[in-house]
Amino acid sequence: MLERIFLHQKQFALKLRGESLDVRIEALEALEKSIELHKQDIIDALKKDFQKPEAETLLSEIYPVLKEITYAKKNLSRWAKGRRVPTPLTLFGSKSYIVPEARGVCLLIAPWNYPFQLAFSPLVSAIASGNCAIMKPSEQTRHTSSIIKKITTEAFHPDHVFVAEGGPETTQELLSFAFDHIFFTGSTRVGKIVMTAAAKNLASVTLELGGKSPTIVDATANLAEAAEKIAWAKFINAGQTCVAPDYLFVHESVQHNFKKHLIAALEKFYGKSAEQRKQSPDFARMISFNHSQRLKDLIDEAVSKNAKVFFGGESQPEEHYCGPTLIEGVDPHSLIMQEEIFGPILPVMTFKEISEVIHFINERPKPLALYCYTHSQMNMEKIEKETSSGGLVYNDSVIHFANPHLPFGGVNHSGMGSYHGKHGFLEFSHQKAVLKQSFLGKLLRVMYPPYTEFKMTALKNLIRFRL
């Protein structure tokens, strides 16, 4: 069945090439209408999957997709317009253009942590660029997967967009097809598998991966403000966010005060006692028992190597619960500092000189995001010039994801390619080179054989004067 859908989409993609932009706009509007109609169903599905608070679903799942649709509809005619580029003197008489064209049929593999938003945001870019798509939502969020299927079925013909539900075997089958482009969001480990499969068909890929995103708080930072922003960015969605702060470096001169502010922020957000935090309607659960157990194991292993939990630490894997946790004194070689945490645990370390932090970051794979809380222009310049990351944010965390004018993506281990807004349109488009020759093109015959003395002189002058 999946192969039949894929082959039908290959044919439909060819038809779409001849359609006007109005067809793309209508498709985006149909998607927008269906999402609006099922807003409460989306909220309910995410609540069932991992008790995601309604406010977080609205803020981090529904709003970004609707905003992406609105932005694409508003700017599509400008993005899709071919642009004239200069033509060298040697091609005198001709005109040159770059025309964006659809890649064709795309495979979109979505993760479980933001299962709605990270399924539909790439789809918006794919549709705006004139592609067909097969979406593969995560089997771990089955209720959200079901509503994704329902919304997509209402908004699109399966020859245009189709949702393939199922487990790893479904993903493996899809990866065997010769897609024109594959967009994957998930772990670095699986990203390598996807890229290997894509290479067999020479499909282009976008890999939105993760990694350990560092956060720096220096002595010049506004500590209370930084603590609140970091607490929100780290513990929203119970820390199951690819761009969440993964570990924290605080200048030793302010570490005591900062820790007090960080604890105060967490108590304000989720409750003063462990029981209050567990009962908080504003704190999500882990996606599965296995993920919960993994987080407990990370804490236990760190503590066995002399780390100290100074806030939280409560964990009940059987209830898919891990409370907001702050831990210090971690061994850099412990698992909690080697693996992406992807949960509500924040290791806090100290530093004396900014160069120490830069060295620590550069010894490890390039992160998806880097956050720095500082009012030191010198520190900003050093971090910007001496580190590499997918994104860099000063005096805040995570919010760069919400700017459609900025490309969102990683580098090396944290990803490949980028999207959002125009960057998403370009990611799902091929930039086709077009040259239109005029009757003056016959002047180029001067370069055809036989190569007379006159032609050789002209050629040498061409090189001499770089014409």
Side-chain angles (χ1 to χ4, degrees), residues 5 17 36-38 56 72 79 97 117 136 145-146 167 199 204 271 287 333 389 407 453 466:
I5 292 291
R17 290 180 181 275
E36 289 281 7
L37 182 66
H38 294 289
E56 290 188 8
W79 296 343
Y97 305 85
Q117 187 232 125
K136 169 58 179 71
S145 178
S146 179
S204 55
I287 190 63
H333 300 291
S389 56
E453 184 177 346
R466 310 291 195 270

Side-chain angles (χ1 to χ4, degrees), residues 28-43 58 62-63 65-67 69-70 73 116 151 154:
L28 291 172
E29 287 176 342
L31 176 60
E32 183 178 37
K33 181 180 178 181
S34 189
I35 291 172
E36 289 281 7
L37 182 66
H38 294 289
K39 200 178 294 181
Q40 189 59 51
D41 296 328
I42 300 164
I43 292 167
L58 291 170
I62 297 173
Y63 171 75
V65 176
L66 293 177
K67 182 70 174 177
I69 293 172
T70 301
K73 289 194 303 179
F116 186 84
I151 288 171
E154 286 181 3

Side-chain angles (χ1 to χ4, degrees), residues 181-199:
H181 187 78
I182 300 175
F183 189 107
F184 169 79
T185 305
S187 70
T188 301
R189 179 187 64 82
V190 180
K192 292 177 181 180
I193 296 172
V194 170
M195 193 168 181
T196 300

Side-chain angles (χ1 to χ4, degrees), residues 175-390:
L175 287 173
S176 69
F177 301 158
F179 283 95
D180 298 293
H181 187 78
I182 300 175
F183 189 107
F184 169 79
T185 305
S187 70
T188 301
R189 179 187 64 82
V190 180
K192 292 177 181 180
I193 296 172
V194 170
M195 193 168 181
T196 300
K200 293 177 181 178
N201 294 304
L202 294 180
S204 55
V205 295
T206 306
L207 302 177
E208 295 296 339
L209 309 177
K212 299 183 73 63
S213 296
T215 300
I216 305 165
V217 179
D218 75 8
T220 69
N222 181 322
L223 300 183
E225 188 176 276
E228 195 161 78
K229 289 178 176 180
I230 292 168
W232 172 77
K234 174 62 182 179
F235 297 99
I236 187 174
N237 208 42
Q240 299 167 116
T241 305
C242 60
V243 286
D246 197 89
Y247 61 91
L248 178 59
F249 268 109
V250 184
H251 193 271
E252 61 181 13
S253 66
V254 297
Q255 63 158 321
H256 182 69
N257 284 339
F258 180 78
K259 283 162 59 178
K260 288 196 299 185
H261 285 299
L262 192 55
I263 290 171
L266 288 174
E267 290 179 341
K268 175 184 174 183
F269 289 172
Y270 306 115
K272 290 185 178 292
S273 71
E275 187 58 30
Q276 285 176 331
R277 293 191 289 274
K278 185 179 179 183
Q279 299 302 324
S280 172
D282 302 318
F283 190 72
R285 292 297 182 266
M286 301 301 99
I287 190 63
S288 67
F289 170 83
N290 289 341
H291 188 50
S292 307
Q293 184 63 52
R294 173 183 164 274
L295 294 175
K296 184 179 185 301
D297 292 343
L298 288 179
I299 296 173
D300 291 344
E301 195 250 4
V303 170
S304 74
K305 294 183 176 180
N306 300 318
K308 177 187 174 184
V309 174
F310 66 93
F311 183 87
E314 303 83 21
S315 181
Q316 285 91 42
E318 65 282 355
E319 298 181 36
H320 297 190
Y321 178 73
C322 179
T325 299
L326 303 175
I327 188 168
E328 62 185 352
V330 292
D331 183 333
H333 300 291
S334 60
L335 289 175
I336 206 167
M337 290 304 299
Q338 299 298 314
E339 301 177 3
E340 182 178 7
I341 296 171
F342 223 67
I345 308 167
L346 182 61
V348 180
M349 299 178 288
T350 61
F351 71 97
K352 290 182 180 179
E353 302 292 337
I354 196 68
S355 56
E356 300 171 36
V357 183
I358 291 171
H359 178 72
F360 188 92
I361 293 169
N362 288 340
E363 280 190 319
R364 288 154 177 78
K366 296 175 182 178
L368 182 56
L370 196 163
Y371 308 116
C372 182
Y373 291 81
T374 180
H375 290 98
S376 165
Q377 191 62 37
M378 182 185 73
N379 283 351
M380 288 186 189
E381 290 177 3
K382 283 183 70 65
I383 290 164
E384 198 159 332
K385 289 179 180 178
E386 297 178 22
T387 65
S388 177
S389 56

